[in-house]
Amino acid sequence: MTNSAPVAWVTGGTGGIGTAICRGLAKAGYQVVAGYNNPDKAKNWLETQRADGYDNIALSGANLVDYEACEAGAKEIRDTYGPVSVLVNCAGITRDTTMKKMSPEQWHEVIDCNLNSVFNTCRCVINDMLEEGYGRIINISSINGRKGQFGQVNYSAAKAGMHGLTMALAQETATKGITVNTLSPGYIATDMIMKIPEKVREAIRETIPVKRYGTPEEIAHAVVFLADKQAGYITGANLDINGGQFMG
Ligand code: CAA
């Protein structure tokens, strides 16, 4: 059953930043499909969204690291709601440790989840976008893909790679009504940030010119802006939202 609302697929939709993005896009009139990893968490999450009046948010549990599973997930979204017109790649994990201690598993897990999944989702929606002559792809990268971060060779590499993909795909799709952009949040008040040891976290906060963490809603606001039809002349760009912590 499809309805006429344009479809937005938000990977990592049940996460801290992802939730705000889903709600922002739902408010803007999209049929939102939120990707998740943990089924129990996702079930409760959806109940919360319903209780808060978001009837146009649904779930997709496709494992984005596995190309075939991602393809099946994308097909299910298309068959149920229609072709994806906005793809937000927000699924991401950290496995922070210094290079001298990092295991190959910690490297691969982060590259798979934070970068290879972006190839998979883009590859699975791009032909529909080309056929429709319209699309918005927004890749949620990180300040740490721009400047590097002590303890994050894996994460910094994945997030920098994301912007390379953005710029290349933006060129491939520029004449086809499709825009591809990167959004690079700084330190946003989510569970991911709370995993950083408090002393380290506080030291980082001191280096942020605005002297506070960002909010998920501040990221969502920019996603809704980039997703809008009127943002059609912005492509291949990176938008930094980091309280002035990195001005590159
Ligand atoms: N720059 C330079 N030196 C540093 C440093 C830094 N930023 N941080 C720590 N060090 C030094 C320490 O002073 C210490 O030096 P000595 O050995 O001379 O005493 C040495 O490096 C070891 O540091 P730690 O004791 O911190 O080492 P550890 O193994 O206990 O922890 C770590 C390492 C896990 C990487 C920890 O430092 C950490 O969690 N850092 C924060 C990483 C981070 O910012 N992650 C972001 C997560 S949120 C996110 O990723 C979202 C996003 O997009 C922004």
Side-chain angles (χ1 to χ4, degrees), residues 136 179 181 229-236:
R136 297 279 181 266
T179 65
N181 292 292
K229 276 200 175 74
Q230 293 192 67
Y233 204 56
I234 306 173
T235 197

Side-chain angles (χ1 to χ4, degrees), residues 109-164:
E109 258 187 288
V110 170
I111 299 295
D112 277 344
C113 179
N114 297 13
L115 182 60
N116 291 337
S117 71
V118 178
F119 165 77
N120 290 345
T121 55
C122 289
R123 180 66 185 85
C124 290
V125 303
I126 200 68
N127 284 327
D128 278 352
M129 288 184 176
L130 288 167
E131 204 169 297
E132 297 288 317
Y134 184 80
R136 297 279 181 266
I137 297 176
I138 300 155
N139 293 323
I140 308 298
S141 179
S142 165
I143 184 175
N144 294 341
R146 307 259 293 133
K147 68 169 186 55
Q149 170 62 38
F150 187 102
Q152 286 199 310
V153 294
N154 47 7
Y155 188 89
S156 302
K159 293 299 190 180
M162 206 184 232
H163 190 53

Side-chain angles (χ1 to χ4, degrees), residues 129-130 132-135 172-178:
M129 288 184 176
L130 288 167
E132 297 288 317
Y134 184 80
E172 291 181 18
T173 57
T175 61
K176 312 290 181 190
I178 300 169

Side-chain angles (χ1 to χ4, degrees), residues 1-8 29-33 50 55-58 77-85:
M1 188 192 68
T2 61
N3 63 28
S4 55
V7 177
Y30 294 88
Q31 168 60 54
V32 175
V33 181
R50 289 277 179 280
D55 293 327
N56 53 342
I57 296 182
I77 293 170
R78 184 198 307 114
D79 292 349
T80 312
Y81 302 106
V84 171
S85 55

